Amino acid sequence: MPYVQYSIKRVGETDVDLRCDSCQHVVRMARSAIKTWLLQRREMRNTCPACGAPYVDPTPTPPFDALNNEFVKFGVTVAQVLKHRGKVPDRELDANIGFILLNKEQQRSLESFSQAERHVATVQAMFREVNNGGFEQFFDNSSGELAYDLVPALEAMNSVENLRLAKQALERFGKPRSLSMRDRIDHITKITRNGEERLWDDLDSAFYDDPEDIEKMILDYIERNLGQFAA
C-alpha cells in the first residue's frame, strides 16, 4: 500500500485537524496529543482510518549544513570567532558559536562534546527554547535531553538569577522515567494534565525580564575554558 502525505491545520485554541492527502479523510485531535502522535508516526504505526495508508512526511528536506548560513560569518572554529570579541555584539558571536557546536553534534554526536562544550550547548538551548516557548518547550524539545546538565552549566558560568529559575523549573519538571523524547513527552503530558496546567508560566515571565546577560556570560565562560573547544 503506498504511503500518503498528511496536512496539519490548527482548529481553534485547542485542536488540530490531520488530513490524509490521499483520501482527504480528516482526524481531529487535541493539540496536546500531537507530539505523541508524531512520535508514533515515526514508527509507522499511525494509518489513515479511512484508506488504511500510513501517514508519512512530505518530501524530505535536504540535510541542513550548519556552517553554511548567514550567522556563521566570524569563523568556523570557536577560537576564530572569539578574535572578534569587542568588535561586534556578543549575541552575534554567540550565534556563530552555536552553529559551530551544532555542526559538531551533527557530524560526531553530542557524546563527543567536552564538558565545556556541553555546558555552552545547554545554556544556549535554554536561552533559545525558553525565549521561544517557555521552560516547557525546553523540556519538551530535543533540548530536554540536556535537562540535567542545565544547573551544572549555569553554576559553571557563575549565573545567579537564571540558575535560580532553572532550579525551580527542574523541580517542577520532576523525574521522568528517562530523558528520551517519548518518556519526556509522556511525563509532561501527565504533570500538565494534557496541557491544562501551566506549570512554568511565572518562571517564563521572570526569564523574559532578562535578569542576566546570557550571551556575555557564555562568551566569558568560553574564554576561560577555550582549551576545551575543538580547534
Side-chain angles (χ1 to χ4, degrees):
M1 184 174 294
Y3 292 166
V4 298
Q5 296 181 353
Y6 69 93
S7 304
I8 301 178
K9 180 181 179 181
R10 182 171 176 174
V11 180
E13 295 297 319
T14 61
D15 297 329
V16 294
D17 280 347
L18 302 170
R19 180 184 298 275
C20 172
D21 290 345
S22 175
C23 66
Q24 300 302 306
H25 185 84
V26 176
V27 179
R28 181 162 295 182
M29 68 171 63
R31 290 176 61 198
S32 59
I34 189 66
K35 291 177 181 176
T36 299
W37 182 86
L38 288 170
L39 282 173
Q40 293 172 337
R41 179 179 51 75
R42 290 173 189 167
E43 299 176 5
M44 303 309 296
R45 291 209 302 248
N46 285 100
T47 60
C48 175
C51 68
Y55 290 109
V56 296
D57 282 320
T59 304
T61 56
F64 175 65
D65 183 353
L67 296 181
N68 184 23
N69 65 78
E70 62 182 301
F71 299 103
V72 181
K73 54 187 176 182
F74 304 108
V76 295
T77 70
V78 173
Q80 289 173 349
V81 174
L82 284 183
K83 290 180 180 179
H84 295 270
R85 197 166 191 201
K87 304 173 187 176
V88 296
D90 281 351
R91 67 176 179 277
E92 294 186 30
L93 303 181
D94 179 54
N96 195 148
I97 290 170
F99 282 104
I100 292 173
L101 294 180
L102 175 59
N103 182 66
K104 181 174 181 178
E105 181 180 356
Q106 290 178 334
Q107 299 297 322
R108 298 173 56 188
S109 84
L110 194 61
E111 284 67 35
S112 70
F113 280 26
S114 68
Q115 183 181 64
E117 288 174 327
R118 193 174 177 100
H119 282 167
V120 169
T122 300
V123 176
Q124 286 181 333
M126 177 196 71
F127 185 66
R128 178 180 64 250
E129 300 295 345
V130 177
N131 269 319
N132 190 45
F135 277 102
E136 181 172 345
Q137 180 169 306
F138 171 78
F139 294 126
D140 217 8
N141 283 354
S142 59
S143 52
E145 296 177 19
L146 297 166
Y148 298 154
D149 291 272
L150 185 54
V151 166
L154 289 167
E155 288 176 338
M157 294 184 188
N158 301 319
S159 171
V160 176
E161 290 304 315
N162 285 304
L163 175 60
R164 179 182 62 82
L165 296 176
K167 286 180 175 178
Q168 292 182 59
L170 278 160
E171 182 178 352
R172 298 178 193 183
F173 178 57
K175 296 285 186 180
R177 183 167 55 183
S178 77
L179 289 181
S180 71
M181 181 169 284
R182 179 180 296 278
D183 284 345
R184 281 185 284 111
I185 289 175
D186 287 347
H187 178 70
I188 290 172
T189 299
K190 179 180 179 180
I191 65 176
T192 63
R193 296 194 301 168
N194 285 325
E196 293 182 11
E197 293 285 342
R198 305 291 299 176
L199 297 181
W200 296 279
D201 278 2
D202 60 320
L203 301 181
D204 297 341
S205 296
F207 184 87
Y208 299 149
D209 288 339
D210 198 18
E212 294 172 321
D213 187 339
I214 292 182
E215 288 105 337
K216 179 180 184 303
M217 188 170 65
I218 289 173
L219 293 179
D220 287 348
Y221 174 77
I222 293 174
E223 287 184 333
R224 297 194 303 269
N225 297 276
L226 187 56
Q228 290 195 50
F229 291 83

